[in-house]
Structure formats: structure tokens, C-alpha cells
Amino acid sequence: MPAAAVGKAPKVKALRPGQVVTNTLGTGGASKPRGYSSFIEFYRAATRARDPPCFAAGCRGRGTSGGHVKLAPSPLLAAFKLSWYIVPACPAHNKRSSCGSYQVKAGTLAVRVETSLADRVCSLPADGKKLVAAAMGKHHL
Ligand SMILES: [Zn+2]
């Protein structure tokens, strides 16, 4: 068992209102946090938010799923960030995941999630594709 997983509270980070986060790709197969059945359950335990909203600015949906995001304003920049955070999102915002960047509301808390080396390796091709798409101008930067 990795030492980091034992007895260490997850890192919770308060985001700035309007800060832009980018959904990550290739995390569908990421292993769930140890001891939790889902990422949203992990998020609720870390923040004590029982029924978090979708944190996309202007959205009135409920944060029913834990979206994997990187704290970067574009897919291009996200490709260079290694830390992943969980931010609750409604189904629409979570589904838009494919490289969608969005601004967050005031009061958004993101919970850092540890990723195994295997998960990171699995996500690399997706990050690479984002990079290529961004370079070809398919996504605004
Ligand atoms: Zn939403």
C-alpha cells in the first residue's frame, strides 16, 4: 500500500471565481480512490458537501458526478499539468468532458486526487491527442 494513501487527508483547494478548469480525457478507467465507490463519494467525504452543485459558472444543475479536471485554462496547457482534481459536475458538464474548459463559480472547492502511474500512462495518449488538436486549431486556446 502506498504510504501516501494512509491517514492523509485529501488536499482540498479553493478555486478563484471564474477560474478556468479543463476536463481531462482518458480517465474513464482510472482506479477509484481507495475506500470509495466513486469519485463523487470521495469528494463529498473530503469537503463534507453532502449535495454539491455543478460548479460550472451559470449552471443550475446538481453536481452528481465527480469530474476529473486539471487547473489549466486550455487543453494545450492542461497537457503539461500532472495534478488531477475532482470537481462536481452535472451530467451535461461532465459529459462535455472531452477537452471542455469551463469557468467555475465562486466557492468552488477542488479535491486533489492521487493517480497511479498506470492511470497516468493510460491518459497520456488522450493528452497527446488534445495537444495535436489544439495545435491544429480545432480547440480555441
Ligand atoms: Zn452543469
Side-chain angles (χ1 to χ4, degrees):
M1 182 177 296
V6 183
K8 200 172 141 196
K11 190 177 164 194
V12 178
K13 191 175 168 77
L15 304 187
R16 296 189 311 276
Q19 183 168 345
V20 180
V21 300
T22 297
N23 280 307
T24 56
L25 287 178
T27 58
S31 19
K32 297 190 170 48
R34 189 182 299 276
Y36 298 94
S37 64
S38 66
F39 284 101
I40 192 67
E41 188 194 328
F42 168 75
Y43 181 92
R44 288 191 189 118
T47 60
R48 307 209 177 131
R50 276 219 310 259
D51 189 17
C54 171
F55 280 116
C59 182
R60 292 163 158 267
R62 292 173 59 209
T64 48
S65 32
H68 283 72
V69 302
K70 289 185 177 181
L71 307 183
S74 73
L76 179 64
L77 295 173
F80 296 101
K81 297 250 185 180
L82 287 179
S83 296
W84 290 357
Y85 290 83
I86 299 298
V87 172
C90 66
H93 277 105
N94 199 37
K95 209 177 290 162
R96 217 164 71 173
S97 315
S98 321
C99 325
S101 299
Y102 60 88
Q103 290 187 308
V104 299
K105 293 173 178 168
T108 299
L109 294 177
V111 179
R112 181 150 174 201
V113 63
E114 301 291 336
T115 52
S116 70
L117 183 60
D119 289 341
R120 286 184 197 273
V121 170
C122 285
S123 79
L124 283 180
D127 280 344
K129 274 184 224 151
K130 271 193 283 192
L131 200 57
V132 171
M136 294 177 68
K138 287 190 176 149
H139 294 278
H140 59 272
L141 296 180

